[in-house]
Amino acid sequence: MISAYTGTQVRAAEEPLLAAGLGDALMQRAARGLANAVVHELKDSGTRLSGARVVVLAGKGNNGGDGLYAAAFLASRGMRTTAVLTGDAAHPAGLAAFERAGGRVHRLTEAALPGLAAEAAAADVVIDAVLGTGAKGGLRGSAADLIQAITDAHLHGFVVACDLPSGVDADTGEAAAPVLPADLTVTFGGAKSGLLADPGADYAGRVLVVPIGIEEHLPEPALRRLEGPDLARLLPQPARRAQKYSRGVLGVVAGSEDYPGAAVLACRGALAAGVGMVRYLGPPSVADLVRQSCPEVVCSTGTVAESRVQAWLVGSGMGPHDHEQLTRARDAIASDLPVVADAGALPALPAILAPHVVLTPHAGELASLFHRLGRGENRESVEAATLGAVRHAADRTGATVLLKGATTLVAAPWGATYSQADGTPWLATAGSGDVLAGVIGALLAQAGSDVGRFRQLGVEPDGRWAAIAALGAALHGQAGRAASEAVSGGPITAGRVADALPETWGKVSMLSNYGAWKRNSHSQPLR
Ligand SMILES: NC(=O)C1=CN([C@@H]2O[C@H](COP(=O)(O)OP(=O)(O)OC[C@H]3O[C@@H](n4cnc5c(N)ncnc54)[C@H](OP(=O)(O)O)[C@@H]3O)[C@@H](O)[C@H]2O)[C@@H](O)CC1
Ligand SMILES: [K+]
């Protein structure tokens, strides 16, 4: 599990150490970690360390101090280092160490800006140490102009962000342009939640967490990411004497005359994700197509009340005029069974729901949901602040909310938030969301009632729905990636994602020997 924290949480964790006079030691550890990461990157890119050109953009706070100390370490290893001081001051001890190590210092002025931007663009490494967790808003003035000029230039080398890319909000991942996109972000003490949520994640590149000794003071994380061993431990496995009903039956209310394929893909996703049985309810013509494509599915035109299932999937491929299907969707929500509510069901739901209802909107659908709740949002505003949006939606509706995207976020109402980024951009394809709904529905049917198992894993009963949804997002993402890798990284269809699920499931299960997985998520790159 990767745990991520807000900037405020990290700063609070630093407090006892700062009070004990260890501030400089913390900064030295941070800077050493940053410098080591730069050395690794240079070696990986085949660049000679001696004489390598490093430009550090240093703000006036401690983030700039980290950058200057790190550049001092690099200068002492024979690199040609330049510091561009972007503010009216610089961290005094960091600057002194940098100058002692032989680094060149430039103060940013309007006249010097083009030359300094060109020097940064030509460098082997640019270290962005302008703003860190103490930032208030985005870059301003000449620092903003410099970052814009470097962003616009064709960069020779790579960019390493110190703690976070300047201009990205450490807590929310909101980005105030201009932001210099990093290839690597080296972050201190714990990952910042803004690095694991879009758009912050777009700018962060790979994320490396450097321990600095504050870890034992960190509180419950603001954001979690499930990794291999977590997924393995959450995956339901059939008991030796299982039968199809005990394994879990999923009722599917999906598809319409206009979008019959969505029902097929939702059923395929569910079947490939280990459910004991799928019951389909819907229009006869759609049921015929489902039967032909998935003979394993039991189809009927009956009501929700007549169907014995452990969970429901409602909404994929349904429109506002599919009255019979929408009635079934509402009945499923009222049934008190776990439900994954997708696409067409979202506008038809009551305003107040419960955590066992998992909503799976994309950004546009979430904006529409906010409109109905009287909050003015559009797709762009949701995409600009995904973490805030998903948290607000969960807390306001009482439902578990999964916001689909390059980084998929899942929020439990008044509870945990998960961030999964297991997929590939090729997953942005028609029907992909139907398969995801099928996977989550299948997991709800299999694992929803297993409260004890989640407790053992430290997940409270009301929080298990979000953990199941995050597990579904991870499986779906990994299956998408596997499907694309099977065609040498080429494009995939939603059906291929469903086809890749069983093998993905098998590979994830192999990690169930938790002790064998020695990865320390505080010292390894996140991706
Ligand atoms: N605490 C520790 O011991 C450790 C901390 N660590 C490091 O410290 C970082 C946090 O440092 P920090 O608190 O000094 O804030 P930082 O992010 O450098 O910037 C704030 C400075 O910039 C200014 N400023 C603010 N907004 C601005 C804007 N939009 N545009 C322009 N200027 C702006 C603001 O000045 P002001 O405006 O308030 O006068 C202030 O001076 C953290 O990310 C990590 O890297 C690690 O070394 C581990 C040990
Ligand atoms: K920074």
Side-chain angles (χ1 to χ4, degrees):
M1 172 107 68
I2 292 163
S3 299
Y5 305 87
T6 63
T8 313
Q9 287 178 317
V10 172
R11 290 162 78 88
E14 286 168 358
E15 280 304 323
L17 295 139
L18 297 184
L22 294 172
D24 195 53
L26 293 184
M27 191 174 267
Q28 294 292 337
R29 285 177 205 156
R32 181 73 74 169
L34 175 58
N36 285 342
V38 169
V39 168
H40 275 118
E41 290 292 303
L42 283 170
K43 282 184 176 164
D44 282 356
S45 68
T47 309
R48 260 176 62 108
L49 296 185
S50 176
R53 290 159 301 168
V54 179
V55 172
V56 58
L57 313 173
K60 69 179 186 179
N62 289 332
N63 194 252
D66 292 341
L68 288 166
Y69 271 123
F73 290 131
L74 298 172
S76 68
R77 294 196 62 168
M79 297 183 209
R80 284 185 284 160
T81 47
T82 300
V84 180
L85 307 183
T86 60
D88 49 16
H91 189 274
L95 183 59
F98 180 70
E99 287 179 321
R100 273 198 308 276
R104 287 191 310 139
V105 178
H106 292 283
R107 287 185 191 276
L108 179 60
T109 60
E110 235 171 83
L113 195 149
L116 294 173
E119 185 170 346
D124 297 302
V125 192
V126 178
I127 299 174
D128 166 12
V130 182
L131 292 176
T133 56
K136 298 178 208 79
L139 292 160
R140 299 186 288 264
S142 53
D145 294 340
L146 176 68
I147 292 290
Q148 187 66 60
I150 299 173
T151 306
D152 292 343
H154 176 74
L155 294 192
H156 161 78
F158 55 87
V159 175
V160 179
C162 171
D163 211 19
L164 59 144
S166 303
V168 168
D169 186 292
D171 299 2
T172 65
E174 289 168 59
V179 180
L180 182 60
D183 298 285
L184 174 71
T185 294
V186 182
T187 193
F188 310 122
K192 310 300 177 294
S193 43
L195 300 173
L196 271 64
D198 293 329
D202 291 333
Y203 293 103
R206 288 171 292 124
V207 178
L208 179 73
V209 182
V210 170
I212 57 170
I214 63 166
E215 293 70 23
E216 68 183 74
H217 301 285
L218 288 167
E220 278 288 293
L223 200 62
R224 297 167 163 87
R225 178 167 292 173
L226 301 177
E227 295 189 285
D230 313 305
L231 303 175
R233 294 202 304 171
L234 287 173
L235 267 190
Q237 296 293 346
R240 180 170 164 270
R241 296 179 65 181
Q243 30 100 345
K244 63 186 180 221
Y245 298 113
S246 67
R247 298 253 324 278
V249 180
L250 176 69
V252 174
V253 176
S256 57
E257 304 281 345
D258 289 340
Y259 302 106
V264 173
L265 289 165
C267 289
R268 285 180 65 183
L271 289 167
V275 76
M277 183 172 144
V278 175
R279 282 187 198 280
Y280 174 75
L281 300 187
S285 63
V286 183
D288 282 347
L289 186 68
V290 169
R291 259 190 224 100
Q292 282 163 26
S293 312
C294 314
E296 304 89 345
V297 175
V298 176
C299 296
S300 99
T301 51
T303 65
V304 159
E306 290 159 358
S307 311
R308 284 193 56 201
V309 299
Q310 276 67 54
W312 287 101
L313 178 169
V314 299
S316 309
M318 285 164 39
H321 305 299
D322 297 316
H323 300 295
E324 215 176 323
Q325 287 291 69
L326 289 173
T327 300
R328 291 189 178 110
R330 287 191 200 96
D331 290 347
I333 299 280
S335 73
D336 267 355
L337 288 170
V339 182
V340 54
D342 187 36
L346 296 172
L349 299 181
I352 301 299
L353 296 155
H356 65 265
V357 178
V358 179
L359 312 183
T360 56
H362 54 57
E365 289 166 340
L366 188 56
S368 305
L369 191 141
F370 280 138
H371 260 287
R372 287 193 299 282
L373 297 173
R375 186 178 150 122
E377 295 268 6
N378 54 32
R379 173 187 276 273
E380 289 72 26
S381 64
V382 169
E383 284 176 342
T386 58
L387 189 51
V390 76
R391 280 264 26 112
H392 183 79
D395 295 343
R396 179 73 198 271
T397 60
T400 297
V401 180
L402 178 150
L403 174 58
K404 292 183 268 205
T407 306
T408 290
L409 298 175
V410 185
W414 308 109
T417 313
Y418 295 87
S419 155
Q420 298 301 138
D422 308 79
T424 153
W426 289 121
L427 274 166
T429 183
S432 177
D434 307 330
V435 174
L436 174 64
V439 173
I440 294 172
L443 293 170
L444 290 174
Q446 292 171 83
S449 59
D450 201 351
V451 176
R453 174 192 175 85
F454 285 92
R455 271 228 167 89
Q456 274 174 18
L457 300 176
V459 180
E460 285 306 307
D462 269 358
R464 71 190 189 280
W465 312 109
I468 290 173
L471 170 64
L475 278 180
H476 178 262
Q478 292 189 15
R481 190 176 284 198
S484 177
E485 280 167 7
V487 289
S488 307
I492 51 176
T493 58
R496 291 280 185 132
V497 181
D499 291 341
L501 276 162
E503 191 176 350
T504 300
W505 182 296
K507 284 186 173 162
V508 169
S509 315
M510 287 196 303
L511 291 172
S512 60
N513 182 1
Y514 183 65
W517 180 267
K518 294 287 189 196
R519 179 168 170 187
N520 172 2
S521 61
H522 281 282
S523 62
Q524 296 293 318
L526 303 194
R527 63 186 162 84

